[in-house]
């Protein structure tokens, strides 16, 4: 058993949210039980995830995508009310870390994805240094095959001009807007979760390859890595609950 406050300060020390300008509050988003016994981690605090975590007996949830985002008007109505109601009714804690969970050098989404793809960053790039870049370890078709093998889905591949890969850049989730910064940082290929219309033209016109590998699929590894670390430190049970999302 651990005190919620000790879990909170452990997470904050690990992830250093004060160093980021983020789209929502990092840390404890919904306050529940003071005594923490069982942690569930997941990508997004969706209703399905909350229900699955509570059904698994978790009293504390740790996610990458929390409930509150810039642009919301602050009302707890509709689907948001329902999510909060489930948590409050169960007296469960919800911790959410967004950009700090992408960025952590060993446990974050970027580092953990790189590990699975055989990529090691030797530099960072882009807004708030969230982008990772390092030496290529395989040709483009082998990299795409590795993505498919590790993430269980084929990436959408914009092949560029077919150049040999020397440097590969990556940033998990909806980081298609980092493509130009990746090109400027010297990438021969850039890998992220989502794609938008402009990236096809940029890939064609700059020759740099672009791989869209799934927002959820690329962000599955940070939350369980962090939660496992915290659970291990306090001797708590932890389970990662993955609810597939094709987007
Ligand atoms: Zn995300």
């Amino acid at each position: 058993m651990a005190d919620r406050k000790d879990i909170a300060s452990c997470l904050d020390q690990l992830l250093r949210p004060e160093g980021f300008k983020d789209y929502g509050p990092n840390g404890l988003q919904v306050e529940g039980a003071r005594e923490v016994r069982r942690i569930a981690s997941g990508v997004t605090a969706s209703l399905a995830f909350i229900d699955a975590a509570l059904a698994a007996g978790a009293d504390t949830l740790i996610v990458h995508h929390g409930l509150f985002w810039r642009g919301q008007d602050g009302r707890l109505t509709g689907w948001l009310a329902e999510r909060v109601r489930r948590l409050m009714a169960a007296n469960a804690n919800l911790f959410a870390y967004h950009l700090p969970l992408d960025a952590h050098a060993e446990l974050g989404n970027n580092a953990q994805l790189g590990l699975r793809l055989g990529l090691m960053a030797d530099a960072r790039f882009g807004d708030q240094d969230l982008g990772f870049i390092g030496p290529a370890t395989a040709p483009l078709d082998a990299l795409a095959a590795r993505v498919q093998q590790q993430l269980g889905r084929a990436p959408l591949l914009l092949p560029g001009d077919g150049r040999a890969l020397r440097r590969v850049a990556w940033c998990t989730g909806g980081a298609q807007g980092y493509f130009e910064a990746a090109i400027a940082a010297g990438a021969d290929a850039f890998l992220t979760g989502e794609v938008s219309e402009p990236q096809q033209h940029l890939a064609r016109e700059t020759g740099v390859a672009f791989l869209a590998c799934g927002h959820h699929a690329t962000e599955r590894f940070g939350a369980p890595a962090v939660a496992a670390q915290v659970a291990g430190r306090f001797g708590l049970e932890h389970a990662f609950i993955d609810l597939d999302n094709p987007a």
Side-chain angles (χ1 to χ4, degrees):
M1 191 189 50
D3 191 295
R4 184 212 316 121
K5 288 191 175 141
D6 296 330
I7 301 290
S9 56
C10 181
L11 283 165
D12 279 347
Q13 274 169 28
L14 205 56
L15 297 173
R16 302 272 168 211
E18 66 281 0
F20 295 86
K21 276 197 219 93
D22 215 328
Y23 306 93
N26 287 300
L28 185 62
Q29 289 199 341
V30 177
E31 184 177 298
R34 178 88 189 254
E35 292 173 355
V36 173
R37 288 191 166 78
R38 190 177 289 183
I39 296 173
S41 63
V43 179
T44 299
S46 63
L47 192 61
F49 170 74
I50 292 169
D51 282 345
L54 297 177
D59 50 47
T60 298
L61 285 57
I62 300 177
V63 299
H64 178 49
H65 301 136
L67 296 178
F68 306 110
W69 300 97
R70 193 195 293 160
Q72 288 172 338
D73 65 9
R75 283 182 281 196
L76 289 180
T77 54
W79 59 269
L80 184 53
E82 198 52 43
R83 292 185 190 181
V84 173
R85 185 169 15 248
R86 298 289 168 96
L87 291 166
M88 300 288 265
N91 201 27
N93 298 296
L94 175 69
F95 289 95
Y97 288 86
H98 185 232
L99 299 183
L101 191 52
D102 290 320
H104 190 279
E106 289 101 41
L107 302 173
N109 281 322
N110 282 330
Q112 290 288 316
L113 178 66
L115 212 60
R116 283 160 180 85
L117 299 181
L119 297 169
M120 280 273 283
D122 56 21
R124 303 275 192 108
F125 71 94
D127 183 44
Q128 303 190 63
D129 275 345
L130 288 169
F132 281 42
I133 183 165
T137 49
L140 184 59
D141 54 349
L143 178 61
R146 182 91 187 235
V147 168
Q148 175 147 20
Q149 177 208 349
Q150 291 291 316
L151 304 187
R153 50 178 284 160
L156 186 147
L157 174 60
L158 311 176
D161 59 10
R163 69 183 65 178
L165 303 190
R166 289 173 303 106
R167 304 278 291 164
V168 175
W170 69 99
C171 192
T172 62
Q176 62 269 53
Y178 278 57
F179 192 23
E180 275 198 85
I183 295 165
D188 301 301
F190 176 61
L191 197 151
T192 184
E194 297 187 30
V195 64
S196 299
E197 193 269 354
Q199 280 83 55
Q200 162 72 330
H201 306 297
L202 272 180
R204 280 189 181 149
E205 291 166 28
T206 66
V208 176
F210 183 98
L211 298 94
C213 309
H215 189 136
H216 175 92
T218 56
E219 298 203 315
R220 269 200 305 241
F221 309 115
V226 166
Q229 174 105 350
V230 172
R233 223 175 265 186
F234 291 92
L236 303 171
E237 289 180 57
H238 162 247
F240 171 57
I241 297 175
D242 189 29
L243 302 173
D244 187 44
N245 181 342

